[in-house]
Amino acid sequence: MSGLQSLRGMNDVLPSESPLWQYLESQVKSVLDQYSYREMRMPIVESTELFARGVGEHTDVVEKEMYTFLDRNEDSLTLRPEGTAGCVRAALQHGLTHNQIQRLWYQGPMFRYERPQKGRYRQFFQIGAETFGIASPDIDAELIVMTHRLFKKLGISDSLTLHLNTLGSSEARARYRKALVDYLEGVKDKLDEDSQRRLYVNPMRILDSKSKSTQALLDGAPQFKDYIDEESVEHFDQLRKLLDAAGVDYVVNPRLVRGLDYYTKTVFEWMTDALGAQGTVCGGGRYDGLIPLLGGKPTPGSGFAMGVERLLLLLETLNVVPDSIYNTVDVFMVVAGEQAQLSAFELAESVRSLPSKPRLQMNCGGGSFKSQMKKADKSGAQIALILGDDEANQKIVQVKDLRGDMQQETAAWSDLAEIFAKFSI
Ligand code: HAM
């Protein structure tokens, strides 16, 4: 194929796929509404400094994956790689964190220059939630319970496992980091290449190294549980109690560290085995240090983001999407004759105004009766309305059942609501 193509790792969503996207988005939105989260819409482009400071200079995201460029004013800008930093920036800028509690959500494209593969793209969509101003573990539990409700509603919860960990306070982490580096320096030559590089810039990430030999070396490493602060332990215990009481199962995974620098205390991920290597569909946690880091008064924060494409892949793999979402037309209108053509819009508009709000597709562009009936069938509509000149003059119409075996009938325009009701339209 010649001509221009979309960029590698950046996908079009075709009309045949958009019903699935809309289905997921509406399910997520209805759950967020039930928990009184309010939508925030942030710009897709922000100053590079926001992510360097917020996400962390030595994270993979900032070091290797950002789409960064100079604008015409020579300012360094970046396509957002995630939503938390921008959401905090916006909340601070508009005074939303001052003496207030916020429950916010956002959705939209994020950009990371990663190697594309199934479930991993360079432009991908997230739906995220962030809360500001609540230090206690009940809000961490609420965020998790909310995702659990969503995954049950979508019919995918049996294929997902919740991994939970605590990263402690930043002071505890600094102490642990030092102990970990001291230990790993002793075995430095045996570490995989990536871990050697990370040893001084981001040693905690070595804990979730994919290398088997590195993982074996870690068996002898200092354990974070010996360094964690008492307050974080209590926070984590209370979170676990709340999740137990709410009936949400989890596994405590001490090697879960997450890839972004802002986390403190709680971190979690929902993972599946059904998607191959890219099995994390949702990740999040607490970030009590981020708001002050970005210039605000000390204010706690906690949130998560879900990968929309990964959730869609999972819905398809598990075959849990109702077929009905792909039906986008209820009624197709076939128009034959000059007078009929003139009356067709009047009838179509009155149908669209019925209280049941039928979705009517009009035959536009002419065509023989036969070709119009073919289009009617292809549209997926349940009913064809057939309007000829005689019918138009008498304000009647032929009603044809396209899917079942109801007799074709002639109906007055004014009786259509009653007839549609028989088809649940
Ligand atoms: P994250 O773990 O980097 O966290 O991303 C969240 C989710 O976005 C992942 O679990 C995954 O489903 C999806 N995702 C990430 N990268 C890609 C990619 N290249 N292609 C497809 N999907 C991807 C964050 O972004 C944090 N801001 C989450 C958060 C909010 N923590 C607290 N509040």
Side-chain angles (χ1 to χ4, degrees), residues 332-337 340-342 344 362-363 366-367 372 385-388:
F332 189 96
M333 201 154 132
V334 172
V335 187
Q341 180 78 65
L342 292 178
M362 167 87 92
N363 183 79
Q372 291 192 44
L385 292 181
I386 303 162
L387 189 71

Side-chain angles (χ1 to χ4, degrees), residues 115 138 156 219 223 265 288 291 294 305 312 340 384 418 424:
R115 200 168 45 77
D138 47 359
I156 57 178
D219 286 340
Q223 302 271 308
K265 296 183 177 161
D288 293 343
I291 295 176
L294 295 178
L312 296 179
E418 237 170 85
S424 310

Side-chain angles (χ1 to χ4, degrees), residues 81-84 106 112 114 119-122 124-126 129-130 258 260 262-263 269 280-285 287 302-307 309-310:
E82 58 102 55
T84 309
Y106 52 84
R112 295 184 193 174
E114 295 192 83
R120 188 163 74 193
Y121 312 102
R122 290 181 172 170
F124 59 96
F125 285 74
Q126 283 187 346
E130 312 292 353
R258 310 258 313 125
L260 313 165
Y262 46 62
Y263 293 110
E269 288 188 358
T280 303
V281 299
C282 173
Y287 46 87
S302 191
F304 66 77
M306 301 181 279
E309 288 87 347
R310 290 187 194 175

